[in-house]
Amino acid sequence: MQKWLSPRATGVPISPEHHLLEANRNIRELIEDTSIPASVRAELSSEFEEIESISGKLRNGEIHIAAFGRVGVGKSSLLNALLQRKAFTTSPLHGETKAEGREEWVSMRGAHVVLIDTPGIDELEGKQREALARRISNRVDVTLMLCEGDLTQLEFQALQQLCAVQRTVLLILNKSDRYGEDELRLLLGRLQERCANLLPVDRVISTSSDPRPETVVYANGSGEQREEKRQVQPDIALLRQTLWSILEKEGHALAALNASIFASELDEKIATRIVQARKSVAERIIRNYCIGKGLLVAINPVPVTDLLAAAGSDVAMVIHLGEVYGFKLSRREATRLLFTISAQLAALMGAYWGMNLMSSALKTASAGLSTALTATTQGALAWYATYLTGEMAQTWFSKGKSWGNAGPRQTARSILASLDRDTLVSTAREDLLARLKGNQP
């Protein structure tokens, strides 16, 4: 088998078998990664089942080839012709293949080639089977996209999707025995032209997997004639030759590449889900601290000390958010981060600080009797300020304890610009008022 040359600077050739082992090692590390939250694993359970299957495929040195296409184009028949035995069920009734079917074709040096049959992609009331067919075709090493004439819009879209996932695809014009020589040449040319941006010309092949019997006329010595039906052998020689050429040159490398692509896709999904999960948890934490701080500021009748207590609440929130993103901050570190955030927000939220100090002074002048008048206003502003603080802290943690290129000032401006302050303050005031009245627990 042809050696696969590594792109390493050393130029030392590395065997495809090495890439299989390396791909499987990377997949196992992903499967066994204990840092992936259980909730994310549960949400991506089907993907993890698939990657477990791919890992087993790599360990067994398997190369998978799937037949894909509409109902009745001869997928099962073509695979049977390759196997030279009837392993996959065929029927004149449409939709005979209800689920994935697998058969080992032959063994090649260091690999086992497995043929996979799939349901038709256009079956009525067969959306689940269609999804299964598409999933299989996205995970195999070589896909045989079958048609029986010029491509329908559904078939062309399916072919585009198959080619978009960077797998090896062959377009098979099956049932070629239905066409005359000139018709077949024109049809192949048409398919090659339509698919020029998707497939090389030599990846568009005609086959006849289950030819119609031919009529043979026999004449005896007296001139009497009789007709007999004679079975015609499948015409798949070019397809078989093309497949073996691909497998001999690229088989193991294809398996390793496809496994790595899927692992990379799953890794990206995991990262996205973790970010989403952390953001969801962080948002709930921020909202809880908003309510807690808003109530604390609103109902605390002791002048000025409500502001000091509120600052302590912000420190606790920052520490809590850090834990969500996997960072353990001391109170000193959290206070330093809070100071940085507050310094940026202070210049942008002068009205907030002015209203808080005014409300606190009003409490002092009236010995706390004005609390009921100022509670919802001061509490709502505290709620809003806490929300901004939490959003900035979450941004800092999500970037790995960094403000990135924007810096804290631009981060604060961006967050403020993205929020509807009046709506948030109004929501906070209504929420606090309802809680102060005892309408909510």
Side-chain angles (χ1 to χ4, degrees), residues 271-292:
T272 300
R273 294 298 194 280
I274 289 176
V275 169
Q276 292 172 344
R278 283 174 170 170
K279 186 173 180 61
S280 178
V281 172
E283 287 292 335
R284 288 199 300 270
I285 289 172
I286 292 171
R287 292 279 178 164
N288 287 338
Y289 275 96
C290 285
I291 291 297

Side-chain angles (χ1 to χ4, degrees), residues 35 37 271-286 317-329 337 390-402:
S35 67
T272 300
R273 294 298 194 280
I274 289 176
V275 169
Q276 292 172 344
R278 283 174 170 170
K279 186 173 180 61
S280 178
V281 172
E283 287 292 335
R284 288 199 300 270
I285 289 172
I286 292 171
M317 177 181 67
V318 167
I319 292 174
H320 201 168
L321 288 173
E323 292 173 350
V324 171
Y325 284 89
F327 301 111
K328 189 172 181 60
L329 270 66
L337 173 60
E391 288 295 308
M392 283 197 67
Q394 181 185 196
T395 300
W396 187 73
F397 286 124
S398 69
K399 293 181 178 179
K401 298 173 67 175
S402 169

Side-chain angles (χ1 to χ4, degrees), residues 140-188:
V140 300
D141 305 305
V142 180
T143 301
L144 308 178
M145 173 72 192
L146 274 72
C147 63
E148 56 182 344
D150 197 5
L151 294 175
T152 65
Q153 187 61 28
L154 172 65
E155 289 173 324
F156 188 73
Q157 290 174 351
L159 182 62
Q160 287 178 312
Q161 292 168 351
L162 292 173
C163 293
V165 295
Q166 301 178 3
R167 306 307 198 266
T168 299
V169 179
L170 277 68
L171 177 60
I172 311 299
L173 173 60
N174 197 27
K175 304 183 180 180
S176 61
D177 58 301
R178 295 182 176 181
Y179 303 100
E181 185 176 334
D182 291 340
E183 289 178 313
L184 182 59
R185 184 173 60 254
L186 288 172
L187 185 51
L188 277 174

